[in-house]
Amino acid sequence: MENEAPPDHPPAARRRRLFVLLLVVAVLAYASDQLTKLIALDVLADGQPRPFIGDVIQFKLIGNPGAALSLGAGNTWVMTIIAVVVLVAIVYVSKDLGSRAWALALGLLLGAALGNLTDRFVRPPGGGEGHVVDFLDYNGWFIGNIADIWIVGAAGLIIVLALVGLGVDGRRERKAAPVAPQPEEHEVSDEPGERSDG
């Protein structure tokens, strides 16, 4: 039948449902990232920091040429290429999707990566080298955005899924059962006067 999946794949109907879930999560993650960046560009345009949770987390607007958490600031094009590779990898992996948790993690990652990639092309100087809009200052350690929160959350969820052995296809890795030791066989001697007590 046309809808039958190979034995190593989840059923096609389930994969379609989970792919739709992935897309919905990605759209929500992307929308939340872009909307909060637009608000930050409007409200924080004067460059002045504003307290959010005391001095621990403040609102402070910057343009980040690097990756999440302001890493790799001198390699903007490299960050753009990495983001594109991540997007392609997510689409490729999602063909075997059989887990809601993986759909959530990959959806968050997809939406966040698209959010920051959008900035690379629409924010100055543009052309794949645009600066990502960051506005959440974490005690002066680094400044991030909503997409970074989704990336960190997705990464944490993926680590948990890997630790519990849940694959993208929804199957758990099974550990091989220990092999029971075989009882030793006693040899029967052919020599006269000797016997086996086994």
Side-chain angles (χ1 to χ4, degrees):
M1 292 177 63
E2 189 178 341
N3 286 337
E4 283 186 2
D8 58 338
H9 287 271
R14 178 170 175 77
R15 278 183 282 142
R16 281 194 296 270
R17 286 195 305 271
L18 291 173
F19 189 71
V20 169
L21 174 61
L22 183 155
L23 290 179
V24 169
V25 171
V27 167
L28 292 174
Y30 179 83
S32 65
D33 172 65
Q34 291 297 300
L35 180 60
T36 52
K37 285 173 179 174
L38 288 174
I39 294 171
L41 286 168
D42 181 43
V43 175
L44 304 174
D46 59 5
Q48 296 300 313
R50 290 169 174 76
F52 177 47
I53 302 177
D55 291 330
V56 178
I57 300 179
Q58 299 184 71
F59 293 120
K60 182 179 180 181
L61 183 65
I62 67 164
N64 175 14
L69 313 182
S70 300
L71 301 174
N75 302 294
T76 307
W77 258 110
V78 174
M79 298 301 112
T80 302
I81 292 169
I82 289 173
V84 171
V85 170
V86 167
L87 296 179
V88 172
I90 291 170
V91 172
Y92 177 78
V93 168
S94 66
K95 75 183 191 318
D96 292 327
L97 201 56
S99 159
R100 285 190 188 91
W102 273 103
L104 174 61
L106 293 176
L108 288 173
L109 199 55
L110 179 62
L114 279 172
N116 284 339
L117 190 60
T118 298
D119 286 11
R120 297 291 180 204
F121 288 95
V122 304
R123 307 291 176 203
E129 296 186 338
H131 293 184
V132 172
V133 176
D134 285 341
F135 56 90
L136 293 171
D137 185 345
Y138 297 91
N139 203 35
W141 298 329
F142 51 82
I143 302 177
N145 55 39
I146 299 299
D148 295 335
I149 294 174
W150 299 145
I151 289 170
V152 171
L157 181 52
I158 289 170
I159 289 170
V160 170
L161 294 173
L163 288 175
V164 300
L166 185 65
V168 174
D169 61 1
R171 295 183 178 142
R172 289 189 183 274
E173 293 178 8
R174 298 179 187 270
K175 295 181 180 177
V179 178
Q182 298 294 323
E184 294 182 11
E185 295 182 4
H186 295 285
E187 294 183 5
V188 178
S189 174
D190 293 331
E191 295 295 322
E194 292 187 8
R195 66 174 193 182
S196 171
D197 292 327

